[in-house]
Amino acid sequence: MNKPNEYKSSRLSYFIKGLSGDPFIRLSLEELMQEITDHHDLKSYVLNYAKNTLKENSLSDKRLTIRAIENENIDILYNHDSEVRENFAICFLEGAKAMQKDLSEQNKHLKSISRDSR
C-alpha cells in the first residue's frame, strides 16, 4: 500500500471504529468537523452521503446537516436539535466507510498493475 493511502485508511479506520461504538475511542463533533476541514476528499464523501442518502426525518434537519458540512460550520450543529448532530455523525461514518472502500479498491488496482508490469 502506498504511504498516503495507508495513512488515510488507518485514519478512517480510527473514525469508523469510534463512530461504530468502540468504547476506547471517544470522538467529538469538533474532531469530526476538523477532519473534514483538513481533508477535503473526505468532506466530499461525507457531503455526498448527506445529499444523496441521508434520510429525511425532517427536511430542515437534512438541509442544516448539509449546510454544516458545506460550510464546515460546527455552530450549525450545536445551534439546532440533536437530530442535526446525529445526522452529521451518520454522514461522517458512512462517508468514511465509502472512502475507505474506494482506497482499498485503488490499492488492489495498483497492486494488480504492479504485478502485471513485472
Side-chain angles (χ1 to χ4, degrees):
M1 206 184 291
N2 68 30
K3 294 293 181 196
N5 279 357
E6 186 176 299
Y7 172 77
K8 285 180 185 178
S9 187
S10 76
R11 188 86 177 134
L12 291 171
S13 290
Y14 171 79
F15 286 107
I16 291 167
K17 286 178 185 175
L19 289 169
S20 296
D22 185 320
F24 299 106
I25 300 175
R26 298 183 82 75
L27 299 170
S28 68
L29 290 175
E30 288 82 2
E31 287 175 279
L32 301 178
M33 187 62 78
Q34 189 62 51
E35 194 68 16
I36 67 169
T37 298
D38 293 345
H39 303 280
H40 286 275
D41 49 346
L42 175 59
K43 177 182 176 179
S44 67
Y45 280 89
V46 174
L47 192 55
N48 184 53
Y49 183 86
K51 288 180 175 179
N52 298 316
T53 314
L54 185 64
K55 291 187 172 49
E56 294 187 31
N57 296 344
S58 157
L59 185 56
S60 65
D61 289 344
K62 181 176 179 175
R63 230 183 343 230
L64 289 168
T65 303
I66 291 169
R67 189 171 347 131
I69 296 165
E70 286 176 335
N71 297 326
E72 301 168 4
N73 187 335
I74 194 83
D75 293 334
I76 293 172
L77 301 178
Y78 284 121
N79 292 336
H80 294 87
D81 65 17
S82 63
E83 191 71 37
V84 177
R85 293 185 290 281
E86 289 172 20
N87 284 345
F88 175 72
I90 290 167
C91 292
F92 190 101
L93 173 61
E94 296 304 324
K97 286 179 180 178
M99 184 175 175
Q100 188 176 51
K101 181 181 176 195
D102 284 352
L103 287 173
S104 176
E105 291 300 317
Q106 287 174 12
N107 288 333
K108 286 178 189 175
H109 181 70
L110 290 173
K111 286 179 183 177
S112 173
I113 291 172
S114 174
R115 274 193 306 266
D116 292 346
S117 65
R118 289 183 198 169

